[in-house]
Amino acid sequence: MRTLIKSAQDIAHMRVACRLASEVLDYITDFVTVGVTTGELDALCHTYMRDVQGTVPAPLNYQPPGYPPYPKAICTSVNDVICHGIPGERVLRAGDTVNLDITVITPEGYFGDTSRMFFIGEPSILAKRLCEVTYECMWLGIAQIRDQAYLGDIGYAIQKHAHAAGYSVVREYCGHGIGTVFHEEPQVLHYGNPKTGMQLQAGMIFTVEPMINAGKRDIRIMPDHWTVKTRDRSLSAQWEHTVLVTQTGYEVLTLSEHSPPPPDLINQRSVVL
Ligand code: MF3
Ligand code: CO
Ligand code: CO
């Protein structure tokens, strides 16, 4: 079995790949406004990756077993779309929420994977709270990460916070190891129990990307075989970072100039410790 521990050289390459993925989100932010189509956002991101960064979008033609090739450069998941929304003619309107999920491949062959939520115009109170709670879920999961911690610690922290807010956790999709392969071991579940599952070791790199629904957790896959919606049509939110496990904690790799700061409950915790 291939080791999940990255070499110092791998880690250096991953820092670059992950920063570049985050910089695509920085770049696209000002274009995410009323009247733009998801297809236009895709084209802008693809052009930026190719012509400014010299990266390749990992989703384009990505074809896991049982799927048709993914046809676009990014994922655009609007409102009740949980993940893997395919960019197209959909016009973004005031009140919509959208997740933009970016994965780049560097010329050296390393993958960086990150996503953020965006509001079009003024969000509803529910949409704002769902996006905030989901952001907190991601960071609470990340905050569990250190050498010798358990994968179940991450899932439990996420699940606990989502359920306390009255929300549900999607179980069909999870975080994943990443490096010179898009999706590799370990699977990082966004639910679970403390001190269960694989023990983390410094040098592992994986994503934390909780999908949280305002209603029930059940999903429905659309006829395009990619787009995943909430079965009950409730709103869904997702945030994603790629993270390196260190001896003392973690290093979030998918940070760039305009990454939102960690939520207050993470800052408060580190002040207390
Ligand atoms: N970026 C997604 C993830 O976080 C995967 C998208 S696969 C695609 O794992 F083909 F839909 F792009
Ligand atoms: Co991912
Ligand atoms: Co992603």
Side-chain angles (χ1 to χ4, degrees):
M1 192 187 97
R2 193 173 58 245
T3 176
L4 304 180
I5 311 301
K6 308 301 190 199
S7 68
Q9 196 195 12
D10 286 334
I11 291 168
H13 283 297
M14 284 299 284
R15 286 196 180 101
V16 174
C18 289
R19 177 178 46 77
L20 288 167
S22 188
E23 284 176 355
V24 176
L25 290 170
D26 291 355
Y27 159 75
I28 202 63
T29 297
D30 285 345
F31 296 100
V32 188
T33 54
V34 174
V36 76
T37 67
T38 54
E40 287 164 349
L41 296 176
D42 176 78
L44 285 163
C45 287
H46 194 175
T47 301
Y48 184 80
M49 290 180 216
R50 189 187 53 220
D51 297 348
V52 178
Q53 296 188 326
T55 60
V56 168
L60 188 62
N61 298 317
Y62 182 57
Q63 186 173 19
Y67 285 79
Y70 188 80
K72 294 289 180 177
I74 71 171
C75 296
T76 55
S77 300
V78 180
N79 296 341
D80 62 339
V81 177
I82 295 169
C83 63
H84 304 165
I86 300 176
E89 302 303 302
R90 173 66 154 86
V91 178
L92 296 180
R93 301 183 225 97
D96 286 337
T97 65
V98 63
N99 173 279
L100 301 184
D101 193 340
I102 306 291
T103 311
V104 302
I105 315 172
T106 63
E108 295 75 27
Y110 289 83
F111 290 66
D113 188 5
T114 185
S115 81
R116 298 181 197 159
M117 294 298 298
F118 297 84
F119 300 132
I120 314 304
E122 275 304 303
S124 69
I125 289 169
L126 169 66
K128 191 160 176 281
R129 181 165 168 270
L130 176 67
C131 288
E132 282 171 5
V133 168
T134 304
Y135 190 60
E136 290 168 350
C137 283
M138 175 186 68
W139 271 102
L140 286 168
I142 290 170
Q144 299 299 316
I145 297 174
R146 62 177 163 74
D147 188 78
Q148 301 299 112
Y150 294 80
L151 277 178
D153 300 338
I154 299 171
Y156 179 71
I158 291 167
Q159 171 186 356
K160 191 173 147 202
H161 193 60
H163 289 175
Y167 299 146
S168 63
V169 178
V170 173
R171 295 193 173 215
E172 285 81 357
Y173 303 89
C174 57
H176 50 93
I178 184 168
T180 56
V181 171
F182 196 169
H183 295 106
E184 62 183 18
E185 282 188 83
Q187 287 195 40
V188 182
L189 303 184
H190 301 117
Y191 60 93
N193 293 113
K195 295 195 167 46
T196 64
M198 179 190 282
Q199 252 183 312
L200 307 182
Q201 285 179 259
M204 291 178 172
I205 296 179
F206 53 78
T207 71
V208 178
E209 49 179 303
M211 286 141 274
I212 307 296
N213 298 347
K216 296 203 174 79
R217 71 173 178 86
D218 306 73
I219 69 165
R220 185 194 299 274
I221 297 175
M222 294 296 107
D224 64 21
H225 300 288
W226 277 106
T227 306
V228 182
K229 289 188 178 183
T230 58
R231 201 161 189 90
D232 64 7
R233 295 291 165 110
S234 63
L235 273 186
S236 188
Q238 179 178 29
W239 292 81
E240 176 175 23
H241 270 314
T242 301
V243 184
L244 167 70
V245 182
T246 69
Q247 283 298 337
T248 53
Y250 57 86
E251 179 181 330
V252 176
L253 300 179
T254 36
L255 293 176
S256 56
E257 191 182 350
H258 297 291
S259 299
D264 286 341
L265 82 179
I266 294 297
N267 293 326
Q268 281 161 14
R269 167 187 292 233
S270 58
V271 169
V272 173
L273 282 176

